[in-house]
Amino acid sequence: MQLLEFFRPRRAGIRASAHRGDGDADGVRESRRIVGEYTLTAADVLAARAFDDAVARSAYPIDIHNPSGSGTTTHRLAPGASYEIPYRCLVPMLVDDLLVAGRCISTTHEALASTRLTPTVMTLGQAAGTAAALSLRERVTPRALDTKLLRDRLIRDGVDLRRAEASVS
């Protein structure tokens, strides 16, 4: 609510906005996910894997909370390491003209325990929105979008995707 009050007088698109409600339960960490053209795994996360079509990067560990409410199992990346999330995780396997972002991207249960954090899902939202706009401009489906074009645009817009190309899978 504080952010809404801060931005409302400062951004034209928010001036007439209204708060309609909050989630009815705190702590929901996982819900439905798509099956995408690629499914990010715990092995990808822990190996700090890079991808030719990466649209986001994270270094957050895999933290699996016990469903009964006691204890967390944590698997950390090597110090200084980060992994990338490929665009293919945002592209549903069997549905055209659709992109997803956030907790519903194509991941395993374990990988989601790392990708679900706000900074990462915000970057995934930026990637999906940018991909949608570029798909329209280029007159291609999101599935057919040139991911180099997408990556170049995301980098130009400030997304941290620069890395040594030799480590890309």
Side-chain angles (χ1 to χ4, degrees), residues 130-169:
T130 301
L134 289 173
S135 294
L136 289 170
R137 187 186 79 190
E138 300 295 314
R139 298 177 191 250
V140 298
T141 65
R143 186 181 321 283
L145 182 63
D146 177 354
T147 55
K148 181 176 180 349
L149 177 69
L150 173 58
R151 283 177 49 82
D152 289 347
R153 180 56 192 243
L154 290 170
I155 290 167
R156 192 168 76 231
D157 289 345
V159 177
D160 180 13
L161 295 173
R162 297 181 199 276
R163 55 167 151 62
E165 296 297 327
S167 66
V168 177
S169 299

Side-chain angles (χ1 to χ4, degrees), residues 88-161:
R88 292 168 285 162
C89 291
L90 284 64
V91 181
M93 182 71 77
L94 300 175
V95 181
D96 287 322
D97 296 324
L98 178 67
L99 293 168
V100 299
R103 289 188 313 214
C104 57
I105 68 168
S106 184
T107 68
T108 62
H109 166 72
E110 296 80 12
L112 178 67
S114 175
T115 64
R116 65 174 173 71
L117 277 83
T118 301
T120 305
V121 299
M122 288 174 64
T123 304
L124 293 169
Q126 180 178 355
T130 301
L134 289 173
S135 294
L136 289 170
R137 187 186 79 190
E138 300 295 314
R139 298 177 191 250
V140 298
T141 65
R143 186 181 321 283
L145 182 63
D146 177 354
T147 55
K148 181 176 180 349
L149 177 69
L150 173 58
R151 283 177 49 82
D152 289 347
R153 180 56 192 243
L154 290 170
I155 290 167
R156 192 168 76 231
D157 289 345
V159 177
D160 180 13
L161 295 173

Side-chain angles (χ1 to χ4, degrees), residues 59-90:
Y60 194 77
I62 294 173
D63 66 340
I64 307 289
H65 290 232
N66 183 332
S68 70
S70 61
T72 301
T73 303
T74 304
H75 302 280
R76 298 189 183 285
L77 284 73
S82 64
Y83 67 93
E84 295 179 335
I85 302 170
Y87 176 66
R88 292 168 285 162
C89 291
L90 284 64

